[in-house]
Amino acid sequence: AQSVTQPDIHITVSEGASLELRCNYSYGATPYLFWYVQSPGQGLQLLLKYFSGDTLVQGIKGFEAEFKRSQSSFNLRKPSVHWSDAAEYFCAVGGSGNTGKLIFGQGTTLQVKP
Amino acid sequence: DAGVIQSPRHEVTEMGQEVTLRCKPISGHNSLFWYRQTMMRGLELLIYFNNNVPIDDSGMPEDRFSAKMPNASFSTLKIQPSEPRDSAVYFCASSLSRRPHNEQFFGPGTRLTVL
């Protein structure tokens, strides 16, 4: 069965520092992987996705993620965090049964210190 | 496009009452998803439709929950009777198709409080 683990529930970084949010997945075939961001009181917005090709994918707002099959990971990175990046981040995996069904991780809350 | 529209944004009701949540997907999108978000369980898929037909309702918690999609531009999620443990944020999302690479666009959610 598909599953997603985000090991870090809460992360605090200083503005301008680099960021890496971890995501590990369990899936038998090549997964479809997504990162979504949720600002307080808002719905989820797609940051980036991977389903084939280059394993380093670029997304919106300066985010990128790297798919590493050997580690079953899809970590999200940003070289310099802005205060507006404070939000909750969700990793998700899809692809089972060729449906649009997604399995989400528990989320990581990012706090940005001034 | 206005995006996915959900109503109401907030709902406070008493235990035992019927609650109906509404969703208007993005025009042209063929797949619609209902999620529930709680602190304890995170984001869970309740049910999803493709071309107005329910495809997978395995996430619907129990018979008190029902969902319909009478046409391509409208869906409802109904809870009858409601219980305090149903308190959560309910999201509706839509995508172009059921193909797994399609992005899901989320609505702003309905925050439900059952007293």
Side-chain angles (χ1 to χ4, degrees):
Chain A
Q2 293 175 296
S3 67
V4 179
T5 301
Q6 294 180 245
D8 305 306
I9 296 173
H10 193 108
I11 283 184
T12 301
V13 300
S14 298
E15 190 168 16
S18 63
L19 171 70
E20 182 170 32
L21 302 182
R22 295 183 291 164
C23 172
N24 294 100
Y25 67 89
S26 172
Y27 185 61
T30 299
Y32 293 79
L33 295 162
F34 304 80
W35 274 100
Y36 282 84
V37 61
Q38 183 181 27
S39 297
Q42 304 293 315
L44 280 70
Q45 180 186 21
L46 181 70
L47 285 174
L48 47 79
K49 63 183 178 181
Y50 169 82
F51 52 91
S52 67
D54 193 345
T55 56
L56 183 63
V57 293
Q58 303 296 321
I60 62 172
K61 305 185 181 186
F63 286 92
E64 65 177 27
E66 187 171 13
F67 170 60
K68 292 185 177 180
R69 183 187 300 276
S70 61
Q71 298 177 20
S72 297
S73 70
F74 188 57
N75 294 349
L76 181 71
R77 301 194 294 250
K78 187 169 184 178
S80 178
V81 169
H82 188 262
W83 64 266
S84 61
D85 293 324
E88 190 160 16
Y89 292 80
F90 292 91
C91 181
V93 63
S96 175
N98 196 30
T99 72
K101 190 173 179 177
L102 293 179
I103 305 298
F104 284 86
Q106 284 294 96
T108 298
T109 300
L110 173 65
Q111 184 178 2
V112 180
K113 293 190 300 185
Chain B
D1 198 313
V4 176
I5 298 172
Q6 291 187 248
S7 65
R9 292 294 308 275
H10 301 274
E11 176 82 32
V12 180
T13 190
E14 292 188 345
M15 183 174 63
Q17 297 297 306
E18 176 180 297
V19 175
T20 299
L21 312 181
R22 297 172 176 80
C23 175
K24 177 178 168 55
I26 293 172
S27 176
H29 282 191
N30 294 326
S31 292
L32 183 139
F33 306 81
W34 281 102
Y35 291 90
R36 178 173 66 176
Q37 185 179 39
T38 62
M39 289 292 292
M40 291 296 295
R41 300 176 67 89
L43 199 61
E44 305 172 278
L45 177 67
L46 299 177
I47 184 171
Y48 83 91
F49 295 83
N50 191 60
N51 292 324
N52 312 337
V53 175
I55 302 299
D56 185 345
D57 65 354
S58 59
M60 295 286 262
E62 50 198 273
D63 291 345
R64 296 185 297 108
F65 286 68
S66 63
K68 294 181 180 180
M69 192 164 186
N71 57 62
S73 59
F74 184 66
S75 177
T76 60
L77 178 68
K78 185 177 293 186
I79 308 172
Q80 166 63 17
S82 58
E83 297 181 3
R85 60 192 168 124
D86 301 329
S87 297
V89 181
Y90 291 81
F91 288 102
C92 175
S94 70
S95 68
L96 275 173
S97 76
R98 61 188 288 180
R99 297 288 300 280
H101 62 274
N102 285 137
E103 175 183 356
Q104 292 185 23
F105 292 81
F106 282 74
T110 295
R111 182 174 294 278
L112 173 65
T113 302
V114 183
L115 303 175

